[in-house]
Amino acid sequence: MNDNPSQALADQLQSSTKNVDVFLALQALSCAAPAVAFEAITTFMRSAPANQLPLARNALLELADRAPALLVSATLDEDAKVADAARQALLIRPSNEALPLYLRMAKSKSVDEACSGCMYLGRISSPQARAPLFKALGHRSAAVREYAATSIHSHADEHWIADLLEAIRTLLREEPDQKKDFGEVINTLCSAVVQKSTHACLDLLMEGLHDTDARVRGTCISALGRLGDTAAVVPLIETFEHPRRGMPRELRTALVKVLGELGDARAIAPLLRAGVTVAAPALGPLKAQEAVPELMAALEQARTPRDADELAEVLAQLQGPGESQWPRAGLRTASLQVRRAAALQLARTAPQEAAQHLRAMLPQLCGGDAVGVAEALALMGSAEGFEGFAKALADDPHHWNASAVAYACQNLRGPQVQALLLGLMPGIRNEYVHHVCKALAAQGADVLPALIAAAQAAGDSLRYRYVMALAEFRDPQGAGLLAPLMVRRNPLRDAAMLSLSATPSAEASAALAAALLQAESPADARLITETLAKAATREAIPDLIRALQADLATEEILEALGRLGSLGDQAVVPALIDQLSSPNARRRQAAAMALGQIADPAAGAPLVRLLLKEFHLEVAQAAMQAWLAMGAQDGGALDGLGAPGTRAFLLASARQLRRER
């Protein structure tokens, strides 16, 4: 490589006074050989004025990927400015070669420094990080311990499982003695064991079933369940039947779940001996037909509808032959609770048959129990379903059932549902309002006229509820009704803006464009244009360009045009190029950023022409990034302009060095 341009750039850097010229020289140097660039940038930093140091630090950052070893050596530089910049660059761009820096940080007496060191050790892949990370698990600071555990989790594989289990045991022993909170750390390590275990760890995990600590046993149980190896079934059964160290409830629950997931019939008999209430989660996956009578009896004794539904789900997995099968067998019992659960299950496969039973039992149910039955009937299109909802709401002084009704209505459509939800809105408790809002938003465009009318008629104290529902609305078909609300005097403006902004569509673009033509004030026009820019699809490009020419929400429009252009529509490029000559600096910057997104070579020459005369640093940065994004294509704009000391020289050098890299 010819280093003459590099040396000339280094000299130019030392003699430049304007921030823009310093930036361009540094940008050009970043394309030179790493050693040359590093020497020039660090030399400049030692004597640079304070306002130009950030530019030098950014240039040094670009070397973190290309030459991390140079930056590692610079972290020990005698000049604090150089050392700090090199350190920050290696933190922003972590590298395996920066391991000495991260190790120093992890051993620091400063808690913040040690936390950062542990975090960065987790971002590189070096075997030398293992020992210091495990050592940091015993740090005096909880924050350092948690960072170390997180980094261990990111590195761990099957070869780490033994160390992880031992670390968990150590922390569990130390916690009571040293009065340290290791809870989060232990959770992270346990998660690593479960996620990173492989079949190679099987013996180690089965040995852990007999550990003295319940937390270790629980972790090994979960890991064995994830692996799904039936070789673990017998040890798991032995642990279930003859726990050596006691069996906490949560551990027993986890063990039952895992035995069900493994699907081995050898587990059925031991589980049934423990009782169907305990074993229920596993009996369905195991297809334990012999458990049906006991499950039916347990269902009859269930204390709540939720408990009954959970048992019914288990029974549904144990379908038997003919009329003896669940749920038809359940419909013949005397228990109303069992019949309710059975009818709801039957509704999934034989809705017409189930509907007869559901209608018959609905009058016998109290308000809370009636909601599930009413929902099933409503889904079948039965009017009795809405009568059931009304009964549940009437027997609900605290509106607890109202939340369940609103939740159920998220799956229902039609005028009856809309009227029901709108009727709930004024009186429902605050904590349940969001259920009603979601259900209303799920109704589609049909509900929008009634919702807007209710919002406009509501007093100030209740309007916010309707505003919440409107803000949740995501149906493009309603854009034509929402767009006219985008005027500043309308109290529903913010809700309409949020809804339309979150619903990019051709319908939203068309509706907002029509509203823009009828805007009553410049402020309204700008607001509509801002929303149009966020919701715009390709169909809105002509409207956005017209709004751009009218100076409405210019920066938002430019951002939207860049986004749309990056999706393949090159029609926006000429409009963006025109904005590069705007007298407004922020507009030039936004246009350059948008062109960088699109990376159309046609913008190369205009960007270079901007760089040759631009004195605003932020604009020059955006233009340079855009130019480099399209491969530093200048379209001939630099021909004959290569004299040293000019901006053209800096740009030409950047182009040349980039090609030689």
Side-chain angles (χ1 to χ4, degrees):
M1 172 179 166
N2 182 4
D3 283 335
N4 289 332
S6 300
Q7 186 57 54
L9 284 169
D11 296 341
Q12 179 72 26
L13 178 62
Q14 294 294 333
S15 61
S16 296
T17 57
K18 294 183 173 63
N19 286 353
V20 175
D21 294 327
V22 169
F23 164 73
L24 291 173
L26 288 168
Q27 195 70 56
L29 275 167
S30 69
C31 300
V36 174
F38 176 80
E39 181 63 28
I41 294 169
T42 53
T43 300
F44 171 73
M45 291 183 73
R46 300 181 201 284
S47 58
N51 67 318
Q52 293 177 354
L53 279 175
L55 300 175
R57 286 196 290 266
N58 289 337
L60 203 63
L61 175 61
E62 296 192 20
L63 293 176
D65 293 328
R66 298 173 58 204
L70 291 173
L71 296 186
V72 172
S73 65
T75 61
L76 301 174
D77 198 279
E78 294 180 356
D79 191 303
K81 298 189 295 293
V82 175
D84 182 65
R87 182 178 181 276
Q88 290 302 317
L90 291 169
L91 296 182
I92 296 172
R93 305 275 178 81
S95 166
N96 283 353
E97 295 187 55
L99 177 66
L101 170 65
Y102 305 145
L103 289 174
R104 290 201 306 271
M105 294 171 65
K107 296 175 183 177
S108 172
K109 294 182 179 179
S110 165
V111 169
D112 290 343
E113 187 89 347
C115 285
S116 297
C118 290
M119 179 180 68
Y120 285 103
L121 286 173
R123 295 184 180 181
I124 62 174
S125 56
S126 172
Q128 298 181 57
R130 185 169 177 171
L133 285 173
F134 273 104
K135 184 178 180 180
L137 292 176
H139 198 277
R140 59 185 173 81
S141 167
V144 175
R145 298 196 298 268
E146 289 171 16
Y147 273 105
T150 301
S151 291
I152 289 171
H153 190 292
S154 66
H155 278 303
D157 57 27
E158 69 270 17
H159 304 295
W160 290 48
I161 301 302
D163 289 342
L164 285 166
L165 290 173
E166 185 55 38
I168 295 168
R169 294 187 190 101
T170 301
L171 296 175
L172 288 166
R173 286 195 300 268
E174 290 184 4
E175 192 169 35
D177 297 335
Q178 299 189 14
K179 296 185 173 62
K180 288 182 179 178
D181 181 11
F182 292 102
E184 288 299 320
V185 172
I186 293 171
N187 285 342
T188 302
L189 299 181
C190 289
S191 173
V193 172
V194 174
Q195 293 183 25
K196 306 301 177 69
S197 294
T198 66
H199 291 278
C201 311
L202 199 62
D203 290 340
L204 184 62
L205 296 172
M206 290 192 295
E207 182 183 339
L209 296 175
H210 308 301
D211 200 273
T212 58
D213 195 278
R215 193 67 184 273
V216 175
R217 300 200 302 276
T219 300
C220 292
I221 290 168
S222 298
L224 290 168
R226 189 185 69 82
L227 292 177
D229 196 321
T230 55
V233 169
V234 172
L236 288 167
I237 291 173
E238 291 175 351
T239 303
F240 181 74
E241 291 197 299
H242 309 290
R244 297 184 183 181
R245 303 285 178 179
M247 182 70 70
R249 182 177 179 182
E250 62 272 13
L251 198 61
R252 191 179 187 89
T253 302
L255 193 47
V256 169
K257 181 175 178 291
V258 168
L259 285 170
E261 291 170 349
L262 292 175
D264 194 303
R266 290 175 291 177
I268 294 176
L271 287 168
L272 288 177
R273 285 196 290 271
V276 293
T277 304
V278 173
L283 296 176
L286 290 170
K287 303 299 180 185
Q289 293 288 338
E290 56 267 51
V292 170
E294 292 185 60
L295 285 166
M296 292 275 287
L299 178 58
E300 191 167 344
Q301 300 298 319
R303 295 183 178 182
T304 67
R306 181 178 178 180
D307 292 341
D309 290 341
E310 289 177 354
L311 288 168
E313 286 288 345
V314 177
L315 282 162
Q317 299 176 56
L318 302 175
Q319 298 279 4
E323 289 296 314
S324 66
Q325 69 176 348
W326 172 267
R328 286 187 173 85
L331 291 170
R332 296 194 297 269
T333 65
S335 169
L336 177 62
Q337 182 157 258
V338 175
R339 296 202 309 274
R340 171 189 172 276
L344 289 173
Q345 284 289 336
L346 186 63
R348 301 179 182 182
T349 55
Q352 295 305 317
E353 182 182 352
Q356 299 176 11
H357 296 280
L358 292 170
R359 291 191 191 98
M361 67 180 65
L362 185 58
Q364 306 172 54
L365 297 170
C366 63
D369 293 345
V371 175
V373 174
E375 181 183 7
L377 287 169
L379 284 168
M380 298 175 196
S382 175
E384 287 88 348
F386 291 94
E387 294 173 8
F389 285 146
K391 179 180 179 181
L393 293 170
D395 187 26
D396 187 25
H398 301 291
H399 280 238
W400 293 324
N401 292 340
S403 175
V405 170
Y407 190 79
C409 286
Q410 293 185 39
N411 302 315
L412 300 169
R413 301 289 182 272
Q416 285 180 293
V417 184
Q418 297 166 17
L420 175 63
L421 291 168
L422 289 169
L424 284 176
M425 188 69 88
I428 195 169
R429 291 167 65 101
N430 286 339
E431 57 263 42
Y432 305 133
V433 169
H434 67 284
H435 288 320
V436 184
C437 290
K438 286 185 176 294
L440 279 168
Q443 293 300 304
D446 289 344
V447 75
L448 206 50
L451 182 57
I452 292 172
Q456 291 170 333
D460 293 341
S461 61
L462 287 177
R463 186 178 292 121
Y464 79 96
R465 299 187 172 199
Y466 299 96
V467 167
M468 288 172 60
L470 285 169
E472 292 253 1
F473 199 84
R474 297 292 184 267
D475 192 333
Q477 300 303 317
L481 293 169
L482 290 171
L485 305 177
M486 297 286 297
V487 291
R488 290 186 176 270
R489 56 181 171 77
N490 196 309
L492 307 182
R493 178 201 64 190
D494 291 343
M497 182 173 63
L498 286 171
S499 178
L500 290 165
S501 298
T503 317
S505 64
E507 293 88 347
S509 295
L512 287 165
L516 183 59
L517 295 174
Q518 301 175 10
E520 298 179 358
S521 69
D524 291 342
R526 182 173 181 84
L527 181 69
I528 295 169
T529 305
E530 289 175 1
T531 308
L532 175 62
K534 294 175 183 176
T537 55
R538 296 174 69 172
E539 294 82 359
I541 288 176
D543 297 305
L544 288 171
I545 292 175
R546 281 195 294 273
L548 181 65
Q549 294 166 347
D551 290 343
L552 295 171
T554 305
E555 291 166 37
E556 290 84 354
I557 294 172
L558 292 170
E559 182 182 349
L561 291 175
R563 171 172 58 82
L564 295 170
S566 67
L567 300 176
D569 199 318
Q570 305 300 306
V572 305
V573 173
L576 292 171
I577 290 175
D578 287 345
Q579 293 299 312
L580 294 178
S581 57
S582 169
N584 186 301
R586 294 185 66 178
R587 191 175 300 182
R588 296 196 302 276
Q589 181 184 359
M593 294 171 66
L595 288 167
Q597 281 185 275
I598 302 169
D600 189 322
L607 285 167
V608 171
R609 287 195 292 271
L610 174 64
L611 284 166
L612 289 173
K613 63 181 183 181
E614 183 59 59
F615 285 92
H616 284 81
L617 178 60
E618 294 80 5
V619 180
Q621 288 175 318
M624 175 61 83
Q625 289 170 3
W627 186 50
L628 294 176
M630 55 188 68
Q633 301 181 59
D634 58 44
L638 294 174
D639 293 347
L641 299 176
T646 68
R647 294 191 183 201
F649 164 73
L650 300 177
L651 297 173
S653 298
R655 179 182 59 174
Q656 178 183 343
L657 294 170
R658 185 180 180 89
R659 290 172 179 172
E660 293 176 353
R661 276 166 63 174

